[in-house]
Amino acid sequence: MKEQLEKIRQAAAHALDAVETGEALEAVRVRFLGKKGELTAVLRGMGALTPEERPVIGQLANEARTYIEGKIEEKKAAVAAKKREAKLANEVIDVTVPGRRKPVGRLHPLHQVLNEITDIFTGMGFSVAEGPDIETDYYNFEALNIPSDHPARDTQDTFYINDNIILRTQTSPVQIRVMEHTKPPIRMIAPGRVFRSDAVDATHSPVFHQIEGLVIDKGITMADLKGTLEAVVKGLYGPDAKIRLRPHHFPFTEPSAEVDVSCFACGGKGCGMCKGEGWIEILGAGMVHPKVLKVGGIDPEVYSGFAFGLGLERIAMFKYGIDDLRLFFENDLRFLRQF
Ligand code: DAH
């Protein structure tokens, strides 16, 4: 029996040497120490021993059990440590790996110029108004003193939804909408999308943007118009920028003018940008026609005002030296990323 115990002890030590996992360890425990285990079987057989042998073998058996249990505990700790090491090795994070950069978006160049212009006007006390893209004939034409036989109503220019409803061809209808619900003094700009049935080329697009302006108060004159626009142009193009007014005709202003800015590329000497003129046309303006004031519910005997309308794309093109309008609408990232 003594030999048998020694054999079991060696067999257990041998088996434990080969153990790599928790499951294998448990199998070894069951094999030697379990209810039907090899050592347990020996202990069961002790009843057959003589009273003298019993304590001797009993002690040996206990020693064998303690030995095997100790070995199992050792192995258990070793297996757990190995498992932890493997897990840590697996979970290693290399904090020196460069991060993944998210591309940063930015405002469209037209929006950047719009924001700049809006800042200049709001800095002078203007508020910002909006009107609908889909307008009635009344607001887009009739109320602005554009009679039904005026060439601007030609179906070539205007997108009609029906006889009465159109896509606005200009932001000027917002003038009427603001006058209808605002008592003077009025100082507002109205940026927005406008639509004209034009074929697309480098300088034409069926959709583009205007910024309308309207100032109404007692005693407003052409000098206020000129002073305001001069301040805006200096804000946009720098302190050396000048403007000039050329007589023109718009049905909703009297007198009317086209406004040029001194060429910001050559300062007025004449260059490729201004086609040798030294001046670049940037907007239409004038004193609000008395008929238009009346339509808006404002007494032309008491109040006067000026209005202007500028093309956002045109201003952005000159500001950035862009020679093709289509670039603004194609949304090519190679273009947009330059702003
Ligand atoms: N609405 C005109 C256009 O689209 C631009 C314009 C001219 C607006 C003179 C005005 C103005 O307010 O006074 O061509």
Side-chain angles (χ1 to χ4, degrees):
M1 212 161 205
K2 210 167 150 182
E3 276 155 39
Q4 211 181 338
L5 280 171
E6 184 52 32
K7 253 193 213 151
I8 289 174
R9 198 167 130 135
Q10 279 176 15
H14 189 73
L16 282 169
D17 273 348
V19 160
E20 302 258 3
T21 66
E23 293 81 51
L25 188 64
E26 177 60 10
V28 171
R29 192 191 64 78
V30 170
R31 175 177 155 200
F32 292 98
L33 304 180
K35 269 186 198 149
K36 294 175 185 165
E38 293 182 24
L39 187 64
T40 318
V42 172
L43 292 172
R44 284 222 179 93
M46 283 193 25
L49 297 174
T50 64
E52 294 79 43
E53 284 173 318
R54 217 172 281 159
V56 182
I57 297 298
Q59 198 188 343
L60 284 175
N62 272 335
E63 274 172 23
R65 166 176 275 275
T66 311
Y67 171 81
I68 295 172
E69 277 173 355
K71 277 277 180 198
I72 286 178
E73 280 314 307
E74 256 174 49
K75 199 74 196 185
K76 204 186 225 168
V79 166
K82 223 169 124 186
K83 199 166 155 186
R84 220 168 74 95
E85 240 166 69
K87 193 175 160 202
L88 287 175
N90 241 332
E91 285 176 356
V92 149
I93 294 170
D94 183 353
V95 292
T96 67
V97 170
R100 244 175 267 156
R101 271 183 197 281
K102 294 247 190 293
V104 178
R106 64 196 77 195
L107 289 177
H108 191 281
L110 285 179
H111 219 128
Q112 292 184 31
V113 175
L114 172 60
N115 284 350
E116 226 178 284
I117 294 172
T118 303
D119 280 350
I120 294 171
F121 278 109
T122 53
M124 295 194 296
F126 283 63
S127 56
V128 179
E130 269 187 70
D133 290 358
I134 301 170
E135 259 300 3
T136 59
D137 178 281
Y138 173 76
Y139 283 106
N140 195 83
F141 295 126
E142 200 72 42
L144 288 163
N145 195 31
I146 303 173
S148 55
D149 57 355
H150 194 282
R153 287 178 167 234
D154 199 312
T155 42
Q156 276 197 354
D157 291 327
T158 308
F159 286 114
Y160 280 86
I161 289 175
N162 61 34
D163 279 354
N164 200 27
I165 301 186
I166 60 165
L167 298 182
R168 68 176 175 191
T169 61
Q170 51 187 358
T171 45
S172 302
V174 187
Q175 288 188 32
I176 307 295
R177 290 181 174 277
V178 167
M179 281 188 238
E180 278 178 349
H181 63 71
T182 318
K183 276 213 173 83
I186 293 171
R187 274 197 302 267
M188 72 88 179
I189 55 167
R193 221 175 258 146
V194 299
F195 308 86
R196 287 185 199 177
S197 173
D198 279 329
V200 175
D201 65 24
T203 54
H204 292 87
S205 160
V207 186
F208 56 103
H209 299 82
Q210 289 185 335
I211 303 175
E212 194 75 15
L214 179 67
V215 171
I216 297 174
D217 202 350
K218 288 177 182 158
I220 296 290
T221 70
M222 202 84 179
D224 297 306
L225 166 63
K226 194 173 179 207
T228 303
L229 293 179
E230 213 156 51
V232 171
V233 159
K234 286 187 197 301
L236 253 184
Y237 297 116
D240 295 331
K242 293 183 204 38
I243 58 166
R244 77 175 181 191
L245 275 62
R246 282 179 290 104
H248 200 74
H249 171 77
F250 296 106
F252 34 86
T253 45
E254 181 59 36
S256 304
E258 273 191 335
V259 180
D260 299 340
V261 61
S262 52
C263 177
F264 16 87
C266 66
K269 288 188 215 69
C271 68
M273 180 87 106
C274 55
K275 300 202 176 88
E277 293 276 323
W279 295 93
I280 291 164
E281 186 228 315
I282 54 162
L283 56 88
M287 301 305 292
V288 182
H289 199 292
K291 277 192 193 169
V292 174
L293 286 174
K294 225 180 260 172
V295 163
I298 290 170
D299 185 351
E301 299 296 331
V302 180
Y303 292 103
S304 58
F306 66 82
F308 56 90
L310 54 87
L312 185 58
E313 281 80 1
R314 209 174 146 74
I315 294 205
M317 283 169 85
F318 283 118
K319 187 173 167 71
Y320 293 124
I322 296 162
D323 58 8
D324 195 326
L325 182 64
R326 287 168 286 200
L327 289 165
F328 287 128
F329 304 114
E330 281 164 357
N331 286 332
D332 186 329
L333 287 178
R334 291 169 301 180
F335 171 75
L336 296 177
R337 282 203 180 108
Q338 296 177 44
F339 300 93

